[in-house]
């Protein structure tokens, strides 16, 4: 029993219930439910700024008070950025407690291409749909937002197309 | 279930990093109110995601590729629980005089469909969604660092193009909240029934199609 908790894996249902409780506590305590990709967009904008770009002048950031404030902060002073680092850190703790940490290398160039392409279209998709599987789905449906259901159906159809591509070209 | 081979005892690192995380809660918390809590919530989310191997990409993909809906059904259970509590939080906020309903309520339109659709393709070919990517970086997967680099490029590109999407679609799209149509109680009941029906269909589908059974 003790080793099952420490080593895992926990059942999907256990995970689902705990994620639901955590998201509810986050919403109740800090007034906004879980989101990921606004924080990732800040990461991208800060890196772009470091490379010499001026994203603070972009309409996306400049015309939105909370986004221009977020952009003026940094990796460790912005709440959404920090919460994302926390997810990475928490997963690290979860593998370390079970002594399962292992660096896993990339196997083939084809995988790199798929990873990069998949990442790019996911990233673009989050900006136009106003969130990812967390902000536009996992936190949106419980908020009774119709957008959450529409996002879910659209992502499901996308996943169907993606699966066909996966089977045809990658597996 | 495949047994994970443990190479050596890494628990000393666990205690070291836990100690570090605890100190950081204080250090972040003292620079700005609530910042330490965001850090803590992130850690708890990451820990639970990894321990339960919770992957939203797989929740959408496994029904299609393997006929398995166990993860999809777990997501539905989480949705049902949160529906009750999120609505209570929203209701109490509105009763308390809030001018806008709190939560993630966004305009719904062509941009939602287009963005959700390409996100769905991307998460399957990249082998992970936004949370899954962060989680696997923590687990030590190098591949997901590449996915994150792609994600950073894509999200910046999307932010650059955002004015067009906003002008053409988002600003013309309605923001729809279920309580507008059904009232607060009706909206919760409607959504819970919808989730229950989906759960039932997913269970039946799994019984007939799961190639792993």
């Amino acid at each position: 029993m003790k080793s099952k908790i420490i080593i895992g894996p926990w059942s999907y249902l256990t995970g689902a219930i705990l994620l639901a409780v955590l998201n509810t506590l986050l919403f109740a305590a800090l007034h906004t439910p879980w989101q990921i990709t606004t924080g990732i967009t800040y990461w991208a904008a800060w890196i772009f700024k470091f490379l010499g770009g001026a994203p603070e002048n972009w309409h996306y950031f400049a015309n939105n008070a909370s986004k221009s404030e977020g952009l003026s902060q940094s990796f460790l002073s912005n709440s959404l950025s920090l919460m994302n680092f926390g997810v990475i850190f928490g997963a690290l703790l979860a593998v370390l407690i079970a002594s399962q940490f292992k660096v896993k290398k990339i196997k083939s160039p084809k995988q790199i291409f798929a990873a990069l392409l998949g990442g790019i279209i996911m990233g673009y998709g989050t900006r136009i749909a106003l969130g990812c599987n967390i902000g536009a789905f996992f936190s949106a449906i419980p908020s009774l937002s119709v957008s959450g259901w529409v996002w879910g159906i659209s992502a499901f159809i996308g996943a169907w197309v993606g699966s066909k591509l996966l089977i045809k070209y990658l597996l | 279930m495949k047994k994970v081979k443990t190479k050596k005892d890494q628990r000393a690192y666990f205690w070291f990093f836990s100690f570090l995380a605890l100190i950081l809660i204080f250090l972040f918390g003292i620079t700005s109110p609530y910042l330490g809590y965001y850090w803590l919530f992130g850690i708890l989310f990451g820990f639970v995601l990894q321990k339960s191997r919770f992957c939203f990409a797989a929740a959408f993909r496994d029904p299609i590729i393997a006929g398995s809906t166990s993860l999809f059904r777990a997501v539905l259970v989480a949705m049902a629980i949160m529906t009750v509590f999120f609505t209570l939080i929203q209701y109490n906020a509105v009763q308390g005089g809030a001018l806008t309903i709190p939560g993630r309520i966004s305009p719904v339109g062509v941009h939602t469909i287009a963005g959700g659709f390409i996100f769905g393709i991307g998460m399957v070919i990249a082998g992970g969604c936004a949370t899954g990517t962060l989680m696997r970086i923590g687990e030590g997967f190098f591949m997901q660092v590449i996915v994150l680099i792609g994600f950073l490029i894509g999200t910046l590109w999307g932010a650059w193009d955002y004015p067009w999407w906003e002008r053409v679609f988002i600003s013309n799209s309605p923001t729809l909240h279920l309580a507008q149509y059904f009232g607060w109680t009706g909206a919760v009941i409607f959504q819970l029934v919808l989730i229950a029906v989906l759960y039932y269909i997913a269970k039946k589908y799994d019984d007939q199609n799961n190639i792993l059974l």
Side-chain angles (χ1 to χ4, degrees), chain A residues 142-164:
Chain A
S143 298
L144 302 177
S145 177
V146 175
S147 64
W149 287 103
V150 173
W151 190 95
I153 295 163
S154 309
F156 187 77
I157 298 167
W160 185 81
V161 173
S163 301
K164 298 289 160 199

Side-chain angles (χ1 to χ4, degrees), chain A residues 86-97:
Chain A
V87 173
I88 298 176
F89 205 91
L92 174 66
L93 290 179
V95 285
L96 287 177
I97 198 175

Side-chain angles (χ1 to χ4, degrees), chain A residues 31-116:
Chain A
H31 311 301
T32 169
W34 193 17
Q35 53 179 320
I36 300 278
T37 48
T38 300
I40 292 185
T41 306
Y42 292 145
W43 288 356
W46 292 326
I47 293 168
F48 185 62
K49 216 171 158 178
F50 177 78
L51 297 173
E56 66 273 17
N57 298 332
W58 292 12
H59 175 279
Y60 180 81
F61 295 104
N63 284 30
N64 182 310
S66 88
K67 291 207 168 64
S68 52
E69 193 200 342
L71 190 66
S72 72
Q73 297 168 331
S74 67
F75 283 98
L76 297 182
S77 71
N78 175 266
S79 57
L80 299 176
S81 163
L82 211 52
M83 188 154 63
N84 287 349
F85 279 122
V87 173
I88 298 176
F89 205 91
L92 174 66
L93 290 179
V95 285
L96 287 177
I97 198 175
S99 298
Q100 291 166 345
F101 183 81
K102 190 168 174 284
V103 174
K104 289 150 193 109
K105 296 200 185 92
I106 297 164
K107 291 190 188 87
S108 76
K110 208 158 75 170
Q111 272 191 316
I112 297 178
F113 177 74
L116 199 61

